[in-house]
Structure formats: C-alpha cells, structure tokens
Amino acid sequence: MVSSTSDQGQLDVFVSGLLFFDVVFSGLDHAPKLGAEAWTTEMATGPGGIANFAFALSRLGLRTGLAAAFGDDPFGRHCWDTLADQEGVDLTRSRRFPGWATPTTVSLAYDGDRALVTHGASPPLAADEMIGDPPRARAAIVHLRPEPVDWPSGTGGLVFADVGWDPTQQWSRSMLDQLGACHAFMPNAHEAMSYTRTDTPSAALAKLADLVPLAVVTLGGDGAIAVDATSGETAEVTGLPVNVSDPTGAGDIFGAALVAGTLAGLPLAERLRLANLAAALSVRRAGAASSAPTWADLGRWWHGTTSTELRSDYAFISELLEG
C-alpha cells in the first residue's frame, strides 16, 4: 500500500486552514420546512474543514501535519484528541485557544447534495500565522483565498491548491495569479469555469493547464478530467455507481487521495481513479472527515466488485495493497 517514505522528522504532507466541528444529518427526504420537525436516518459528528484533508491523508498511510486553531472547549478538545490520538496527525503547529469557541457547521444532506449552516468567529490567530518556518514535507495543500500566503513553498515539496465558493460571485482572476507557485490545482467544475470564464469543464481545464503543471477539474458524480504537463498525460475517469448518503467533504477527500497517488508515482489515470474511488466511498455514509476510507476500505471495495471492467481499471489497488 502507499505508505510514508519520508525521512525521520520529515512529513509527507503539511496542511493549514480553518477547522470546524461538524454535525452532519443525512437521510432527509427533503429540505426542512418551517414549523415542522424532520427526523433523519443517519448522523455523524467530528472534525471538519481542513481536518477532512488531514484525516484522508493519514488514513492513506501518509505522515501528515496540520496547522489549525482549536477552541479549548469540548468540541475543540474532541477534535484535537481525535486527530492526534486516533488518526496520528502531527499537531505541533496547531494551537488551542481558551475562551474561543471552535466554529461549528451543521450539514443537512438530501437529494444527493447538502446545505451548510455555520456558526463561529475568526480565530485569535490565523492558522498560517501559527506556522512560522513551515516543516519540510513532500507536499503541501493550500486553500487559495484573496490574500496570498507564502508558507507552502517553504516546505520544499509539491504545492497542491484548492479553492472554495466565492460568496461575492465575482470569481476574481487574482485567485489564479497565485498558481505560479503551485504544482497542482484541483477545483470543481463550477469553480473552474467561473474563474476561467469558460462554458465547459474541458475548456476550463485547457485554460488551467497553462497555469499549473497538474490541472484537475472534478465533475462530482461524473468523475474528473486532468492534464499533467510533467508527464505529458491527459486522463478522464467516469464516476462510480454508489448510493449517496452524504457528499459532505467528498471534494477534500478526492484532493487528499490525488496527493497520495501523486506521491506514490502513479500514472495520471490511476491517480484520478484512486481519488475518484476514495471520494465515492466517502459519500456512502454520513460524515466528512470520519467517512474518509482506509486502505482496508479500498481493498474491500476492489475485492467485492463484480464488474470485470472496474476490476481491470482499478487493479492497481490490489497491487498497491500487496506492495
């Protein structure tokens, strides 16, 4: 399986960002209605936000470090203990802040999507400010925002960038100006088309491929497309047939698995399939970080599939497990 090959003291992947305590309800038949009570069939709680990446990376055998703010409240202590003790994430550059409440997000999943409600205040110290000199790592994951950050290049590894929803709906080109220092960019189709001012995911991918060595556009349940200038590869993978319980965090888990596949030296199509499978398995149950699959989960899926085509396309999973 993919495992850490870093030198002692060096991380495989370092991530920084905003952490939330997630409360996820899935199994709703429809959106809640005013004045009515809705019962759900599933729920999950635990770390979310940037923790989605940390969980998924650690479960894929990579030594992962995280810089994030935690409240010194029950939610924050639970998230800290879960990440450090249960998942083995290095929290050396994270901080706990007494008197500050850990931001909380409620996710309501229905009709194959989810709606989010979040409560919280900005942390006393931004996660990027906690880092100081960043640790050496084979890769770093940065969440692009209007104010550029410098720490990812200090890790000495490949920089993978993602981006979130723009509440202003302006989709400023300045966000893409930051990609010059990045190895990879992995937005979803709506984000990619909005920032590149294009009408199709493939047209957006072509624009992004001029800006970063590895450009990836995710298509939700329809799979992903990508171009890797370093290897000269292009690839497109289709989505996997799964029953969607909760899509919360699926994009983060896709990104984490893509990083894992890249560090393992997999061909582009296999990197996309690994990421595609990890995301697909995560949406089958409630929760974001907690739904990130382990190698055992990936192996069980491969051994259990009866599709000859899928067993062939994903045969590398078995090879990685045996390696």
Side-chain angles (χ1 to χ4, degrees), residues 2-207:
V2 177
S3 59
S4 172
T5 59
S6 57
D7 297 331
Q8 181 144 5
Q10 182 187 21
L11 297 172
D12 290 305
V13 189
F14 184 66
V15 296
S16 173
L18 191 57
L19 178 137
F20 302 85
F21 178 76
D22 278 356
V23 181
V24 178
F25 296 100
S26 68
L28 289 165
D29 294 327
H30 50 72
K33 297 179 180 179
L34 291 175
E37 181 179 20
W39 284 73
T40 64
T41 57
E42 286 188 83
M43 73 165 291
T45 61
I50 194 63
N52 298 338
F53 282 105
F55 255 69
L57 291 162
S58 184
R59 288 185 173 186
L60 292 176
L62 297 176
R63 187 179 178 198
T64 304
L66 169 65
F70 294 72
D72 193 20
D73 55 7
F75 289 166
R77 289 192 291 273
H78 172 73
C79 290
W80 184 287
D81 293 344
T82 301
L83 284 159
D85 299 336
Q86 179 178 310
E87 302 299 327
V89 175
D90 184 337
L91 299 180
T92 302
R93 284 171 171 78
S94 292
R95 289 267 302 274
R96 288 191 259 203
F97 293 96
W100 177 71
T102 304
T104 300
T105 293
V106 174
S107 176
L108 304 174
Y110 56 90
D111 291 341
D113 208 335
R114 79 279 187 270
L116 306 175
V117 180
T118 297
H119 173 269
S122 298
L125 191 66
D128 296 336
E129 297 178 276
M130 301 176 200
I131 295 172
D133 291 330
R136 301 294 293 176
R138 299 167 64 206
I141 298 176
V142 61
H143 184 79
L144 298 184
R145 55 182 186 272
E147 306 79 21
V149 295
D150 297 326
W151 69 262
S153 60
T155 64
L158 301 175
V159 179
F160 291 76
D162 82 331
V163 70
W165 177 260
D166 180 4
T168 70
Q169 299 290 289
Q170 298 300 308
W171 307 101
S172 172
R173 173 76 187 192
S174 65
M175 297 289 278
L176 300 186
D177 293 340
Q178 302 176 49
L179 295 179
C182 299
H183 172 74
F185 186 41
M186 40 194 185
N188 65 37
H190 183 79
E191 295 159 352
M193 291 186 291
S194 298
Y195 281 113
T196 59
R197 310 297 196 264
T198 53
D199 296 326
T200 66
S202 58
L205 180 66
K207 291 270 191 180

